[in-house]
Amino acid sequence: MHKYLLPITLWAAWMGMPATSCLAEAVPHVHHQPLADDNILTIVVDDEELVRVLMDEGLRPLACRPGPGAGHWLANDEQLAFARRLGMPVEVLVDDVPAHVEAERRANEEAKAEGAARGDWYASYHTVEDIHARLDALIAAYPDHVHPADAGTSLEGRDIRGIRIGTGEAGSKPALLFNGCQHAREWIATMVPTYAADELAAGYGNDARITALLQLVDVYIIPIVNPDGYYYTYASGGDRFWRKNRRNNGTGCYGVDLNRNWGVDWNGGESTSENTCSDIYVGSSAFSEPESAAMRDFILARPNIVGHIDFHCYAEVILQPWGYTNVPPPDDAEIDELGAAMSQAILDVNGVYYPNGGGDELLYLASG
């Protein structure tokens, strides 16, 4: 950690669409097309041994760390029959995942058209190209306080676009960094930072609180850290449930989990895997991926960044450092106070309670 970067990074997991959280290690499905013949199930599993039996059979748990109890799983018809033979309570939530995904796509396109007609860009989810165009529009509309601040390029050559919202010279004030979509399928994690960019850009000079804030700090916003994976969730022949980037691992399996590829306790064993087919595959080394390396370099090149929020979904929690250990950071009291203030602010606006705390308290630990 460079000398100015306080350890106050908060990982806020935002509630998005059901059954799209992080996947745990499992034998991968091999289909002629992604998700063909799949179902989405709720399975009540009695113990850890049966969790492993299901995973060894190739069912994909829709949780980073599946455990006993009721949970969501992706399974083809044969795997569904296998789970039933084991005598577990099984409920089929979706019996045709490709059709379900296609229905979602059509509904999103209809919402997009309706939103465009009434000037509501946030009526639907948007593609990489749409979101980058939105950033360009903000830069053009507010040239005095919205500036380009790209982080680099992805494995497949897509830009990792960002902006700086603030007055004066870059680096002259403390700064905050908001980014989203390290995990491709977490569509709402692109929309939240983009919405924050819209509100801050339009509010400067018009809203007294936002104006005062941006006179004190700069805000960097990078809505899509993983543009290749995000693109793949929309693409024809792609996978709506894709999590990782699009690294060809040379094993018939693709992708590195960017949120396990950072240097802090990389491959430390907390919710990680060295299996290249796993959705929590750590990569060949810390920062092996151009996307995570670009974010590292972006932060290190801006020592005035003193706070960082990494948006994810789904779970309504505010995760505080450290993510990989239950040993508290030296300024834990300050971080906890900040997290509690964020929780109260969300409750005041939306009436929804987001608990704050460490990963060991609220979800699980994760290395890297």
Side-chain angles (χ1 to χ4, degrees), residues 14-331:
W14 290 76
M15 178 61 114
M17 302 182 61
T20 56
S21 76
C22 39
L23 302 177
E25 181 175 3
V27 177
H29 285 313
V30 178
H31 293 312
H32 294 296
Q33 66 182 66
L35 307 176
D37 306 318
D38 269 346
N39 310 273
I40 298 175
L41 315 174
T42 298
I43 306 177
V44 181
V45 186
D46 289 339
D47 54 44
E48 294 281 358
E49 182 179 355
L50 286 175
V51 170
R52 176 55 58 185
V53 168
L54 292 177
M55 292 170 66
D56 287 346
E57 188 64 20
L59 285 82
R60 294 170 66 182
L62 292 172
C64 269
R65 179 177 280 178
H72 296 137
W73 299 73
L74 276 171
N76 61 30
D77 292 341
E78 290 182 4
Q79 293 159 345
L80 167 60
F82 175 80
R84 284 175 166 158
R85 287 198 301 273
L86 293 178
M88 300 178 183
V90 177
E91 178 186 2
V92 178
L93 300 178
V94 176
D95 62 4
D96 186 341
V97 171
H100 178 72
V101 170
E102 175 59 20
E104 179 198 42
R105 185 196 65 79
R106 289 196 304 268
N108 192 57
E109 287 300 310
E110 292 170 4
K112 184 176 180 180
E114 293 171 2
R118 64 176 187 268
D120 182 4
W121 194 80
Y122 290 94
S124 66
Y125 293 104
H126 288 274
T127 64
V128 174
E129 296 83 2
D130 289 345
I131 292 171
H132 288 178
R134 191 76 174 181
L135 298 183
D136 288 334
L138 292 178
I139 294 167
Y142 307 103
D144 292 338
H145 59 275
V146 181
H147 317 278
D150 296 350
T153 56
S154 67
L155 184 72
E156 295 180 344
R158 293 182 176 86
D159 291 331
I160 302 172
R161 294 289 310 280
I163 57 175
R164 175 177 70 91
I165 306 175
T167 60
E169 293 296 321
S172 61
K173 301 192 295 288
L176 307 174
L177 169 63
F178 300 162
N179 67 255
C181 200
Q182 288 203 69
H183 292 146
R185 61 173 166 249
E186 297 173 9
W187 286 6
I188 201 169
T190 71
M191 301 298 287
V192 170
T194 305
Y195 182 76
D198 264 349
E199 291 292 294
L200 292 172
Y204 183 76
N206 297 302
D207 180 288
R209 187 178 182 189
I210 291 175
T211 302
L213 170 71
L214 292 177
Q215 288 171 348
L216 293 174
V217 300
D218 283 349
V219 180
Y220 290 97
I221 297 180
I222 300 174
I224 308 174
V225 172
N226 183 7
D228 298 346
Y230 187 61
Y231 179 87
Y232 187 61
T233 65
Y234 279 89
S236 175
D239 183 345
R240 173 64 182 90
F241 290 86
W242 192 256
R243 168 180 165 90
K244 302 181 286 183
N245 75 351
R246 292 296 296 161
R247 167 77 66 186
N248 184 343
N249 293 321
T251 60
C253 294
Y254 282 73
V256 171
D257 183 350
L258 298 179
N259 205 38
R260 301 295 187 275
N261 190 240
W262 293 62
V264 176
D265 196 47
W266 176 80
N267 201 22
E270 294 289 352
S271 186
T272 59
S273 175
E274 295 179 347
N275 178 356
T276 59
C277 299
S278 171
D279 277 317
I280 50 174
Y281 172 50
V282 298
S284 59
S285 62
F287 297 113
S288 61
E289 304 313 296
E291 298 89 353
S292 56
M295 292 301 297
R296 173 200 63 196
D297 295 344
F298 184 91
I299 294 169
L300 292 177
R302 293 163 178 81
N304 61 316
I305 292 177
V306 296
H308 176 207
I309 301 179
D310 178 21
F311 292 101
H312 289 252
C313 75
Y314 70 97
E316 295 172 314
V317 297
I318 300 169
L319 293 184
Q320 302 169 184
W322 302 116
Y324 70 97
T325 177
N326 56 16
V327 177
D331 50 357

